[in-house]
Amino acid sequence: MEYFVAQGSVVREIWGKADTVLFIFAGAAAEFALNKAVDWLYFTGKLPADPLARLFSTVDYARQIVFAERAAAERAIDTIAAIHGAVEAKRGMAIPAWAYRDVLFLLIDYSIRAFEVLERPLTEPEKEEVFQVFCRVGQRMGVPDLPISHAAWLAVRQQHLDQNLIHSHYTADLYHQYRRHLGALRYKLLLQAQRLVVPARVRVLLKLGRWTWLPLLLPLYRRTQHLALNKWAKIGLLPTEYKDRILALDYRPS
C-alpha cells in the first residue's frame, strides 16, 4: 500500500505524538491571530465561536493526510480545497494565494519547532522531508509559487512573517476568545508554550516576552513521558470535552 507520507518518515513521528501536536497547536493559535487574512476565518463565524474546535479541525485534517494511504490523503486535501472554495463563493472573492501559503508555512515551521523543543534537533534531510510533505499538500490544492526546497523556503518564510502579520482587532478578539474558552490557568499555559515555540516576529507582535519556565520542566518531561502522570498533564491542558481527542493524538491511525 502506498502512503502519502512514508511509514518511516519523521513527519509521522512528529504528528503521531500528542505533546508535539499540542505545541504545534499553540504556535498555530498565535500566528492565526496575527495573520492579515484572519478575517476569512471570521467570515464563517466558526473561529471566534469556538477557536479550539477550529484549530483541532486543522490538526485533524493534517493528521489524516500524514497517516492515510495516498488516495485517501488526496481526497482529504481535495475536501479542504472544496471547503475553502465554498467559502470563497459565499463571500464573492478569492482567498489570497499568500494566505494559503501562510498556513502551509506555519504547519512546516511549527512541526519542526515543536519537535525540536520537545525531542531533539532535526537533521537537514529531516527538515527537507517536513517541507516536501506540506509542499505536496499545497501543490495538490493548486497553491502557486511554492519554494522548491527547505533552504529556499527559509527566506520566503521570513518574508511572509515580515509582511503578512499584524496585530489587529481580530488579534485582540481571538486572544479574548482563547482566554474565555480555556480559562485563566490554561490560558497562561498557552502563553508559556507560545513563548517557547513561536518565531521572534510573532513573539514581538503579541508582546509575549521571552521568558518562560517551561524549559525547566523539559528534562522531567523527557524522563516521565511514558508514565500515566504525563497523560494526566496533557488532558489538563485543554477543557475536559477535548479529553478523547487529545488522547487520540497519541495513536497513529492504521
Side-chain angles (χ1 to χ4, degrees), residues 135-161:
C135 190
R136 286 192 286 120
V137 173
Q139 290 167 347
R140 177 78 184 187
M141 291 181 66
V143 179
D145 302 324
L146 293 172
I148 61 171
S149 67
H150 176 261
W153 169 82
L154 288 171
V156 181
R157 166 64 170 161
Q158 187 59 52
Q159 185 180 56
H160 274 238
L161 288 169

Short mmCIF file of all heavy atoms in Angstrom, two decimals, residues 135-161:
data_model
loop_
_atom_site.label_atom_id
_atom_site.label_comp_id
_atom_site.label_asym_id
_atom_site.label_seq_id
_atom_site.Cartn_x
_atom_site.Cartn_y
_atom_site.Cartn_z
N CYS A 135 4.59 20.77 1.14
CA CYS A 135 4.64 21.37 -0.19
C CYS A 135 3.76 20.55 -1.15
O CYS A 135 3.04 21.12 -1.98
CB CYS A 135 6.08 21.41 -0.68
SG CYS A 135 6.32 22.37 -2.19
N ARG A 136 3.78 19.23 -1.02
CA ARG A 136 2.92 18.39 -1.87
C ARG A 136 1.44 18.62 -1.58
O ARG A 136 0.61 18.55 -2.47
CB ARG A 136 3.28 16.91 -1.68
CG ARG A 136 4.59 16.52 -2.37
CD ARG A 136 4.80 15.04 -2.42
NE ARG A 136 5.15 14.48 -1.13
CZ ARG A 136 4.45 13.55 -0.49
NH1 ARG A 136 3.33 13.08 -1.01
NH2 ARG A 136 4.86 13.08 0.67
N VAL A 137 1.13 18.91 -0.31
CA VAL A 137 -0.25 19.28 0.03
C VAL A 137 -0.63 20.55 -0.73
O VAL A 137 -1.71 20.63 -1.34
CB VAL A 137 -0.40 19.49 1.55
CG1 VAL A 137 -1.79 20.04 1.87
CG2 VAL A 137 -0.17 18.19 2.30
N GLY A 138 0.23 21.55 -0.69
CA GLY A 138 -0.04 22.80 -1.38
C GLY A 138 -0.16 22.62 -2.88
O GLY A 138 -1.03 23.23 -3.53
N GLN A 139 0.69 21.80 -3.45
CA GLN A 139 0.63 21.56 -4.88
C GLN A 139 -0.69 20.91 -5.27
O GLN A 139 -1.29 21.25 -6.29
CB GLN A 139 1.82 20.68 -5.30
CG GLN A 139 3.15 21.39 -5.24
CD GLN A 139 4.34 20.45 -5.34
OE1 GLN A 139 4.19 19.22 -5.22
NE2 GLN A 139 5.52 21.00 -5.57
N ARG A 140 -1.15 19.95 -4.45
CA ARG A 140 -2.42 19.29 -4.72
C ARG A 140 -3.58 20.29 -4.66
O ARG A 140 -4.55 20.18 -5.43
CB ARG A 140 -2.65 18.17 -3.69
CG ARG A 140 -3.98 17.44 -3.82
CD ARG A 140 -3.97 16.44 -4.95
NE ARG A 140 -5.28 15.81 -5.12
CZ ARG A 140 -5.52 14.81 -5.96
NH1 ARG A 140 -4.53 14.30 -6.68
NH2 ARG A 140 -6.74 14.30 -6.07
N MET A 141 -3.48 21.28 -3.78
CA MET A 141 -4.51 22.30 -3.65
C MET A 141 -4.41 23.38 -4.72
O MET A 141 -5.28 24.25 -4.82
CB MET A 141 -4.43 22.95 -2.27
CG MET A 141 -4.82 22.03 -1.13
SD MET A 141 -4.74 22.87 0.49
CE MET A 141 -6.06 24.09 0.31
N GLY A 142 -3.33 23.36 -5.49
CA GLY A 142 -3.15 24.36 -6.54
C GLY A 142 -2.58 25.67 -6.05
O GLY A 142 -2.75 26.71 -6.70
N VAL A 143 -1.90 25.65 -4.90
CA VAL A 143 -1.30 26.87 -4.37
C VAL A 143 -0.07 27.23 -5.21
O VAL A 143 0.84 26.41 -5.36
CB VAL A 143 -0.89 26.68 -2.89
CG1 VAL A 143 -0.24 27.96 -2.36
CG2 VAL A 143 -2.10 26.30 -2.04
N PRO A 144 -0.02 28.44 -5.75
CA PRO A 144 1.09 28.80 -6.65
C PRO A 144 2.33 29.28 -5.89
O PRO A 144 2.28 29.60 -4.71
CB PRO A 144 0.51 29.94 -7.47
CG PRO A 144 -0.43 30.63 -6.51
CD PRO A 144 -1.03 29.52 -5.67
N ASP A 145 3.44 29.32 -6.61
CA ASP A 145 4.68 29.97 -6.16
C ASP A 145 5.23 29.40 -4.86
O ASP A 145 5.69 30.14 -3.98
CB ASP A 145 4.45 31.48 -6.00
CG ASP A 145 4.00 32.15 -7.28
OD1 ASP A 145 4.46 31.73 -8.36
OD2 ASP A 145 3.16 33.07 -7.20
N LEU A 146 5.20 28.09 -4.73
CA LEU A 146 5.79 27.46 -3.55
C LEU A 146 7.29 27.31 -3.75
O LEU A 146 7.76 27.03 -4.85
CB LEU A 146 5.15 26.09 -3.30
CG LEU A 146 3.67 26.11 -2.91
CD1 LEU A 146 3.11 24.69 -2.90
CD2 LEU A 146 3.48 26.76 -1.55
N PRO A 147 8.09 27.48 -2.70
CA PRO A 147 9.54 27.28 -2.82
C PRO A 147 9.84 25.83 -3.22
O PRO A 147 9.01 24.93 -3.03
CB PRO A 147 10.06 27.58 -1.41
CG PRO A 147 8.98 28.35 -0.75
CD PRO A 147 7.69 27.88 -1.33
N ILE A 148 11.04 25.61 -3.72
CA ILE A 148 11.38 24.27 -4.22
C ILE A 148 12.14 23.44 -3.19
O ILE A 148 12.31 22.24 -3.37
CB ILE A 148 12.22 24.36 -5.52
CG1 ILE A 148 13.54 25.10 -5.26
CG2 ILE A 148 11.43 25.03 -6.62
CD1 ILE A 148 14.50 25.04 -6.44
N SER A 149 12.59 24.06 -2.10
CA SER A 149 13.36 23.33 -1.10
C SER A 149 13.21 23.99 0.26
O SER A 149 12.77 25.15 0.35
CB SER A 149 14.84 23.29 -1.49
OG SER A 149 15.41 24.59 -1.42
N HIS A 150 13.61 23.27 1.29
CA HIS A 150 13.57 23.85 2.64
C HIS A 150 14.50 25.06 2.73
O HIS A 150 14.15 26.07 3.35
CB HIS A 150 13.98 22.80 3.68
CG HIS A 150 14.05 23.33 5.07
ND1 HIS A 150 15.25 23.70 5.66
CD2 HIS A 150 13.09 23.59 5.99
CE1 HIS A 150 15.01 24.14 6.88
NE2 HIS A 150 13.72 24.09 7.12
N ALA A 151 15.67 24.96 2.11
CA ALA A 151 16.62 26.08 2.14
C ALA A 151 16.01 27.33 1.50
O ALA A 151 16.14 28.44 2.03
CB ALA A 151 17.91 25.69 1.44
N ALA A 152 15.32 27.15 0.37
CA ALA A 152 14.67 28.29 -0.30
C ALA A 152 13.49 28.79 0.53
O ALA A 152 13.21 30.00 0.57
CB ALA A 152 14.22 27.89 -1.69
N TRP A 153 12.80 27.88 1.18
CA TRP A 153 11.63 28.24 2.00
C TRP A 153 12.00 29.14 3.16
O TRP A 153 11.21 30.02 3.53
CB TRP A 153 10.98 26.95 2.51
CG TRP A 153 9.94 27.17 3.57
CD1 TRP A 153 8.63 27.52 3.40
CD2 TRP A 153 10.13 27.05 4.99
NE1 TRP A 153 8.00 27.62 4.61
CE2 TRP A 153 8.89 27.34 5.61
CE3 TRP A 153 11.22 26.71 5.80
CZ2 TRP A 153 8.72 27.31 6.99
CZ3 TRP A 153 11.05 26.68 7.17
CH2 TRP A 153 9.81 26.98 7.76
N LEU A 154 13.17 28.97 3.76
CA LEU A 154 13.56 29.75 4.93
C LEU A 154 13.46 31.25 4.67
O LEU A 154 12.92 32.00 5.49
CB LEU A 154 14.98 29.38 5.36
CG LEU A 154 15.15 28.01 6.01
CD1 LEU A 154 16.64 27.69 6.19
CD2 LEU A 154 14.44 27.96 7.36
N ALA A 155 13.97 31.68 3.52
CA ALA A 155 13.92 33.12 3.20
C ALA A 155 12.50 33.57 2.94
O ALA A 155 12.09 34.66 3.36
CB ALA A 155 14.81 33.40 1.99
N VAL A 156 11.72 32.74 2.24
CA VAL A 156 10.34 33.10 1.92
C VAL A 156 9.49 33.13 3.19
O VAL A 156 8.64 34.00 3.37
CB VAL A 156 9.74 32.10 0.90
CG1 VAL A 156 8.30 32.49 0.54
CG2 VAL A 156 10.59 32.06 -0.37
N ARG A 157 9.75 32.19 4.09
CA ARG A 157 9.03 32.16 5.37
C ARG A 157 9.26 33.45 6.14
O ARG A 157 8.31 34.05 6.66
CB ARG A 157 9.51 30.96 6.18
CG ARG A 157 9.12 30.94 7.65
CD ARG A 157 7.63 30.87 7.86
NE ARG A 157 7.30 30.63 9.27
CZ ARG A 157 6.12 30.85 9.81
NH1 ARG A 157 5.13 31.33 9.08
NH2 ARG A 157 5.91 30.60 11.09
N GLN A 158 10.50 33.90 6.21
CA GLN A 158 10.79 35.14 6.93
C GLN A 158 10.10 36.32 6.27
O GLN A 158 9.59 37.23 6.95
CB GLN A 158 12.30 35.38 7.01
CG GLN A 158 12.68 36.56 7.89
CD GLN A 158 12.19 36.40 9.32
OE1 GLN A 158 12.43 35.38 9.97
NE2 GLN A 158 11.50 37.41 9.84
N GLN A 159 10.08 36.32 4.95
CA GLN A 159 9.40 37.39 4.22
C GLN A 159 7.91 37.42 4.55
O GLN A 159 7.33 38.48 4.76
CB GLN A 159 9.60 37.19 2.71
CG GLN A 159 9.04 38.30 1.85
CD GLN A 159 9.28 38.03 0.38
OE1 GLN A 159 8.89 36.98 -0.15
NE2 GLN A 159 9.95 38.94 -0.29
N HIS A 160 7.30 36.25 4.62
CA HIS A 160 5.88 36.16 4.97
C HIS A 160 5.65 36.66 6.40
O HIS A 160 4.67 37.36 6.67
CB HIS A 160 5.38 34.72 4.82
CG HIS A 160 4.94 34.39 3.43
ND1 HIS A 160 3.67 33.95 3.14
CD2 HIS A 160 5.59 34.46 2.24
CE1 HIS A 160 3.56 33.74 1.83
NE2 HIS A 160 4.71 34.03 1.27
N LEU A 161 6.54 36.28 7.31
CA LEU A 161 6.41 36.74 8.70
C LEU A 161 6.49 38.26 8.78
O LEU A 161 5.77 38.91 9.54
CB LEU A 161 7.50 36.12 9.57
CG LEU A 161 7.37 34.63 9.89
CD1 LEU A 161 8.65 34.12 10.54
CD2 LEU A 161 6.17 34.37 10.80
#
